[in-house]
Amino acid sequence: MSGVTIKDVAKTFKKEDGTATPALEGVTLEIRDKEFVCLVGPSGCGKTTLLRIIAGLETPTTGSVTIDGSAVTGPDPKRGMVFQEYSLFPWRRVIDNIAFGLEMKGVSREERRQTAEYYLKMVGLSRFRDAYPFELSGGMRQRVAIARALANEPDVLLMDEPFGALDAQTRNRMQKELLCLWKKTEKTIVFVTHSVDEAVYLSDRIIVLSPRPGSVQEIITIPWPRPRDRTSADFAEVRRRVLEMINETETTQ
């Protein structure tokens, strides 16, 4: 089980001059085991901050996050993180990038290789095992980053705008590939995006955050099976509803 419980989380950043900037306030949310949830909201609403708190990379000012009943107190391999920047080591081959986390945990060379090969095959890049990141396209590099996160076998996969730097065609393809990986691995996924279209296409539920300090404005359940038709009237209606919600809150600030 890998459900995420966020209870009354607030985060305030303090500057050197003593002033304080509230980023999140009173965020309470339940994310179910194996659920795919997208976080959306106006720019600066604290989406990435909330994701980093779930990851244990930031500490909430108040409130708590638990995963399967255990408190999040810092980074843990059970929570995999994929960033918008690919964050690959340019001097390491693809296979060695994927195995890096296992190497840090002291896993044997042979076991690292077998695990890395498994996830390399899962993301469809087996023939690029000995390539270096600079030899890959943006989409391929992001697949390597996802494979590296999965190789640690996390309970929860946290993704911060992972396709934001890709062109539209590659982005759509990566969305389909991610859904295939999610179905195979049955991970709980929390996915930050600025694209409402992407959120409607991918998620079981969309969490709409209010402007800073961010709080849960609304939770929208997407009831249709996958794959979803972006041209359908239902898809367009949910997209319009979420966009209106975000635009309304931006204009009232």
Side-chain angles (χ1 to χ4, degrees):
M1 297 293 290
S2 51
V4 181
T5 300
I6 302 164
K7 187 174 181 181
D8 202 27
V9 162
K11 178 66 178 179
T12 298
F13 292 101
K14 293 185 178 180
K15 300 179 181 178
E16 292 182 1
D17 62 5
T19 60
T21 302
L24 296 167
E25 185 176 75
V27 177
T28 295
L29 179 64
E30 289 277 353
I31 299 171
R32 296 183 288 271
D33 181 43
K34 302 177 185 178
E35 188 175 24
F36 197 130
V37 164
C38 283
L39 303 178
V40 303
S43 181
C45 71
K47 299 184 292 295
T48 293
T49 298
L50 181 58
L51 199 72
R52 289 176 62 84
I53 288 173
I54 298 171
L57 300 174
E58 295 278 358
T59 302
T61 305
T62 60
S64 64
V65 177
T66 58
I67 296 179
D68 190 22
S70 299
V72 173
T73 57
D76 191 300
K78 292 183 179 180
R79 298 182 296 280
M81 190 87 175
V82 179
F83 302 92
Q84 179 174 345
E85 300 82 14
Y86 313 117
S87 303
L88 302 178
F89 298 115
W91 60 88
R92 294 178 72 115
R93 298 175 304 160
V94 162
I95 189 78
D96 298 321
N97 263 287
I98 294 172
F100 177 75
L102 301 173
E103 184 179 338
M104 292 298 99
K105 291 196 292 185
V107 175
S108 69
R109 180 185 296 272
E110 180 59 23
E111 187 177 346
R112 293 198 311 262
R113 185 194 64 77
Q114 290 179 0
T115 302
E117 293 277 11
Y118 174 79
Y119 285 103
L120 196 57
K121 183 177 180 180
M122 186 178 286
V123 298
L125 290 175
S126 292
R127 68 191 183 96
F128 294 95
R129 68 184 305 283
D130 294 319
Y132 288 91
F134 75 89
E135 299 177 286
L136 306 179
S137 68
M140 293 164 72
R141 277 177 279 178
Q142 197 59 293
R143 276 191 273 169
V144 174
I146 292 170
R148 182 177 61 182
L150 291 174
N152 287 310
E153 298 186 355
D155 297 327
V156 180
L157 188 60
L158 306 170
M159 310 187 79
D160 188 11
E161 281 281 341
F163 308 144
L166 304 177
D167 63 84
Q169 185 177 357
T170 303
R171 185 170 188 157
N172 287 348
R173 186 173 69 251
M174 288 297 298
Q175 290 166 5
K176 293 177 183 177
E177 291 180 0
L178 177 60
L179 288 176
C180 289
L181 288 171
W182 173 64
K183 187 175 181 180
K184 289 178 183 176
T185 61
E186 297 187 321
K187 301 297 182 186
T188 303
I189 295 182
V190 186
F191 188 106
V192 166
T193 180
H194 282 91
S195 168
V196 173
D197 181 275
E198 185 167 66
V200 178
Y201 185 79
L202 290 175
S203 60
D204 294 313
R205 292 188 297 160
I206 300 174
I207 313 301
V208 184
L209 298 184
S210 67
R212 180 180 292 176
S215 61
V216 177
Q217 180 181 350
E218 188 157 345
I219 299 175
I220 297 171
T221 299
I222 310 297
W224 327 301
R226 301 174 178 89
R228 293 170 182 162
D229 181 2
R230 300 177 197 265
T231 65
S232 72
D234 287 339
F235 193 104
E237 173 57 26
V238 173
R239 182 173 53 207
R240 181 196 61 78
R241 178 182 167 196
V242 176
L243 282 170
E244 283 185 353
M245 212 175 298
I246 294 171
N247 291 336
E248 283 174 8
T249 56
E250 284 183 324
T251 55
T252 56
Q253 289 299 295

